[in-house]
Amino acid sequence: MAAAAPSAPGIDIGIKVGERKKIAEGLSRFQADAFTLYLKTHNFHWNVTGSMFNSLHTMFETQYTEQWAALDDVAERIRALGFNAPGSYREFAALTSIPEEAGLTDSADWREMVRQLVVANEAVCRTARQVLDVADDADDAPTEDLMTQRLQTHEKYAWMLRSLLQ
């Protein structure tokens, strides 16, 4: 008989399991908000029309491409903490703080698209700040760093988009 393979050791990264769970739950909410924003941004990239088409089509593509890569970083952090990352529409819908709005695919005004993206980027920022606070309490520097990076990005996106409406 072959010897059984050793089982994986428990996670011992210096953060207690209860704290890791709270962080992972917050990151899951962040992931849901970030995915919802990604989907909305990609939708608007596909469907923008009007005088701002070229500028917004390019801006939306730049933003959703960056957002897609960041989703992987967040999911991998959740896994590193020892928990499963959300990955279905159902999970994202249950966890997100961003309300579902019409897709604006029928002759949508670009201003409404931009308005929705400002609001959604700010929602992502608020969730990131909540996770940052929990991570700080647990002395979880990698999650703090990740959320700080995401805050910088989404605050910048909100500012750039809002500038188009002023």
Side-chain angles (χ1 to χ4, degrees):
M1 275 188 126
S7 62
I11 297 173
D12 185 10
I13 59 174
I15 304 171
K16 295 176 183 171
V17 67
E19 292 174 320
R20 286 189 289 112
K21 183 177 183 189
K22 285 171 54 175
I23 296 165
E25 288 170 349
L27 285 170
S28 293
R29 288 189 305 278
F30 178 86
Q31 183 83 335
D33 281 354
F35 186 85
T36 302
L37 172 61
Y38 158 79
L39 189 60
K40 186 181 287 275
T41 305
H42 209 147
N43 174 19
F44 292 166
H45 163 79
W46 289 329
N47 292 299
V48 68
T49 59
S51 62
M52 293 290 291
F53 169 80
N54 194 48
S55 298
L56 290 176
H57 187 75
T58 300
M59 176 188 255
F60 295 164
E61 182 175 20
T62 300
Q63 290 182 6
Y64 80 68
T65 300
E66 186 280 332
Q67 291 166 5
W68 180 254
L71 288 167
D72 199 52
D73 291 337
V74 176
E76 289 176 355
R77 184 64 193 149
I78 294 168
R79 294 296 298 139
L81 292 168
F83 297 90
N84 287 337
S88 70
Y89 291 125
R90 181 174 300 194
E91 288 173 298
F92 290 144
L95 291 167
T96 190
S97 70
I98 299 171
E100 182 65 28
E101 297 181 80
L104 302 178
T105 55
D106 296 328
S107 64
D109 181 70
W110 67 264
R111 288 169 197 82
E112 177 59 16
M113 291 178 172
V114 170
R115 185 201 67 77
Q116 284 190 28
L117 292 177
V118 169
V119 171
N121 271 284
E122 289 178 345
V124 170
C125 289
R126 289 189 301 274
T127 303
R129 286 185 194 291
Q130 292 169 356
V131 177
L132 189 57
D133 287 344
V134 174
D136 181 48
D137 291 345
D139 198 26
D140 179 2
T143 299
E144 290 177 80
D145 182 54
L146 180 58
M147 289 297 97
T148 299
Q149 290 175 37
R150 300 313 308 151
L151 270 169
Q152 289 173 333
T153 298
H154 291 289
E155 285 180 354
K156 181 177 180 180
Y157 288 169
W159 157 67
M160 292 173 76
L161 291 159
R162 183 181 289 104
S163 295
L164 293 167
L165 300 174
Q166 295 175 329

